[in-house]
Amino acid sequence: MKKLLLTMGLLAGVLSYAQAWKGAGDQKAQAGINVWGFGTGPTASYDYGLSNLISVGGGANVYFNEDEDNPFIFGRIGFHLQEALALPSEIDVYPGLNIGVAGRNFGLGVYLGARYFFTENWGAFIEAGNNGSFGVSYSF
């Protein structure tokens, strides 16, 4: 029983230092699965904090279906609402915009995302909008 209580106490201490959004200079990398229409594929993105509210970054995803493969390479901007909504430090909610090249065409996407960090560096994310994705987040 003592070992269980000690483990739970150490885990609670580690979890209490998790921070989903630190503001200016914060860096997050994400990797996961992209779900869009009738297909799926890998996705990856990176965000760099300009302020407590705004981040910029980039990413890429590929949508595989029966007919063709559709890559999307994009720049992104996010608006982090953690402070405005008085969320706990482990949670960040962020709407955003992706602008880039989808195959040979111009690509534009909007999304609403959320991150939850389990430890100081590792968390999970989910984004929904023109397409959806979920996976793991890493904080530098």
Side-chain angles (χ1 to χ4, degrees):
M1 184 66 163
K2 288 181 185 179
K3 288 181 184 180
L4 177 64
L5 291 175
L6 178 62
T7 303
M8 288 175 55
L10 289 173
L11 184 59
V14 168
L15 291 177
S16 67
Y17 292 108
Q19 244 185 322
W21 184 247
K22 299 173 189 165
D26 194 10
Q27 299 180 66
K28 302 284 191 255
Q30 303 183 137
I33 302 295
N34 183 45
V35 181
W36 184 38
F38 299 107
T40 61
T43 186
S45 62
Y46 169 81
D47 294 314
Y48 179 81
L50 297 179
S51 69
N52 284 346
L53 180 64
I54 299 172
S55 68
V56 295
N61 59 38
V62 179
Y63 161 64
F64 299 109
N65 69 17
E66 298 168 359
D67 302 327
E68 60 185 336
D69 301 342
N70 296 303
F72 181 34
I73 299 171
F74 54 88
R76 63 191 261 147
I77 184 168
F79 300 94
H80 300 269
L81 304 177
Q82 181 186 43
E83 188 176 294
L85 298 175
L87 296 172
S89 65
E90 301 88 9
I91 299 171
D92 183 27
V93 173
Y94 53 98
L97 178 69
N98 294 334
I99 300 172
V101 177
R104 295 183 195 169
N105 302 313
F106 173 75
L108 178 65
V110 294
Y111 61 88
L112 177 62
R115 291 187 187 115
Y116 180 83
F117 273 78
F118 305 104
T119 69
E120 183 178 341
N121 295 102
W122 292 101
F125 80 94
I126 187 166
E127 294 178 357
N130 291 49
N131 57 15
S133 58
F134 62 93
V136 297
S137 290
Y138 182 79
S139 180
F140 294 91

